[in-house]
Amino acid sequence: MKKFFFAFAVLFSGVVLNAQDKPQFLEVDYQMEMKFDFEEIIKNVPAQWRSQVEEPLKQEIQKGIFIDYKLKTNGSESEYKMQEKINNDQSAAGMILQQITAMDKEPLYKNIKEGFYLKPYDVGKAYLMKDKLQDIKWKITKEKVQIAGFDAMKATGVMNDSIPVTAWYTPKLNMKDGPDRVWGLPGLILKTEFEMNGSGIIITAKNIAVKEEEIKINKPSKGQEITEKEFYEEMRKLQEQMKEMYGGGVDTE
């Protein structure tokens, strides 16, 4: 009888392990809200145009800028892609949105298993940003909320050695993935908040679909390979060239 129960226990544990090893395939719809610092933006508007755009720009920024993204993940690899929409909005917010979407057309690829990401950019020249995923030192709290129908736990950490980040994750979906470059918690990240380049970023899951069929994750390969630091240095140089081309600065009084 003892041999029977031992054999049953071994068989049962094997079934459980196989179930845990079976990959999950998820599609998650996120919405990103960007909150801009009005003073930072208006000082970059040429002086002769400020009186025309100041009030409508302030109103639009107060409303917030919203962009939709979709995460496709199998727990080991993922693709995070902006959902493009036709935008004929000529308001200040519409123009800001057009600039953001022009830079963010290509999907972000994350390899959770190997700890790196890839992000293509085309700025007249094709680049392929490749860098390590940040090792965010998370601190899990006891605070809980409901997001997209899931119980989520709050965690705090620091990105890039200086950017505070808050995230809410659900242990019910056992994968260390999340929106954008945020990852590393013991469950899918459903919401995150941080500040970057003077903008407040809030990314929230709106819908989560568990897929039975395997999700194919495309790994980008086109473009000159470059680190994140090297890419932003290239963009800084390009911005300086543009300023020189259009009068050496933004204040042209």
Side-chain angles (χ1 to χ4, degrees):
M1 183 63 70
K2 288 182 179 179
K3 289 182 179 179
F4 171 77
F5 281 115
F6 177 76
F8 178 78
V10 170
L11 178 62
F12 180 74
S13 64
V15 170
V16 172
L17 286 172
N18 286 335
Q20 290 176 337
D21 290 341
K22 185 179 178 181
Q24 282 185 305
F25 304 108
L26 301 178
E27 287 189 1
V28 187
D29 295 317
Y30 288 95
Q31 185 175 75
M32 179 176 74
E33 179 182 2
M34 303 186 73
K35 295 186 175 182
F36 293 98
D37 184 330
F38 171 75
E39 297 300 330
E40 285 296 315
I41 291 181
I42 197 66
K43 74 181 184 182
N44 287 297
V45 175
Q48 66 269 30
W49 298 341
R50 286 181 191 168
S51 61
Q52 301 173 41
V53 303
E54 187 169 1
E55 190 55 37
L57 180 60
K58 183 183 291 185
Q59 291 178 9
E60 294 290 349
I61 286 175
Q62 287 173 348
K63 293 178 185 176
I65 308 291
F66 297 88
I67 306 174
D68 294 328
Y69 286 84
K70 185 180 289 289
L71 176 73
K72 296 181 180 180
T73 180
N74 59 23
S76 297
E77 296 176 286
S78 66
E79 174 188 283
Y80 183 70
K81 187 176 182 180
M82 180 183 64
Q83 302 302 286
E84 291 189 66
K85 297 178 181 178
I86 296 174
N87 179 20
N88 296 318
D89 185 358
Q90 296 303 306
S91 69
M95 300 297 284
I96 293 171
L97 187 57
Q98 288 174 26
Q99 291 182 9
I100 295 169
T101 54
M103 278 292 290
D104 202 20
K105 287 184 177 180
E106 298 297 330
L108 170 74
Y109 167 88
K110 291 203 297 288
N111 191 311
I112 302 295
K113 190 175 182 180
E114 297 183 21
F116 72 91
Y117 71 87
L118 299 168
K119 173 69 175 177
Y121 288 98
D122 191 340
V123 289
K125 178 179 178 180
Y127 291 99
L128 181 62
M129 186 190 292
K130 180 179 181 180
D131 223 319
K132 293 180 181 179
L133 287 169
Q134 290 278 322
D135 183 17
I136 304 172
K137 303 298 184 184
W138 292 110
K139 293 182 179 179
I140 297 172
T141 74
K142 294 181 179 180
E143 189 174 337
K144 295 181 181 180
V145 295
Q146 270 245 334
I147 300 173
F150 287 86
D151 290 330
M153 300 180 66
K154 182 180 179 181
T156 59
V158 177
M159 300 190 302
N160 296 339
D161 299 322
S162 61
I163 302 173
V165 57
T166 300
W168 286 262
Y169 73 96
T170 177
K172 294 284 187 180
L173 299 171
N174 186 24
M175 52 180 62
K176 295 184 177 182
D177 212 338
D180 206 276
R181 294 165 179 79
V182 187
W183 75 294
L185 282 163
L188 181 71
I189 295 171
L190 302 180
K191 183 176 181 179
T192 185
E193 298 182 23
F194 54 91
E195 288 192 10
M196 186 171 286
N197 300 324
S199 302
I201 309 292
I202 303 172
I203 308 174
T204 308
K206 298 298 182 181
N207 184 61
I208 301 167
V210 180
K211 299 292 184 179
E212 292 294 329
E213 66 276 11
E214 182 179 357
I215 293 177
K216 298 292 185 182
I217 306 297
N218 296 317
K219 183 178 178 180
S221 59
K222 294 181 180 179
Q224 177 188 332
E225 195 169 298
I226 192 169
T227 67
E228 182 175 331
K229 184 178 179 180
E230 291 168 342
F231 176 77
Y232 286 116
E233 178 60 23
E234 289 288 310
M235 293 304 99
R236 187 192 65 78
K237 291 178 182 177
L238 182 62
Q239 188 178 39
E240 291 299 321
Q241 291 172 5
M242 294 293 286
K243 283 184 178 181
E244 290 176 9
M245 188 181 303
Y246 291 101
V250 294
D251 273 324
T252 56
E253 290 182 311

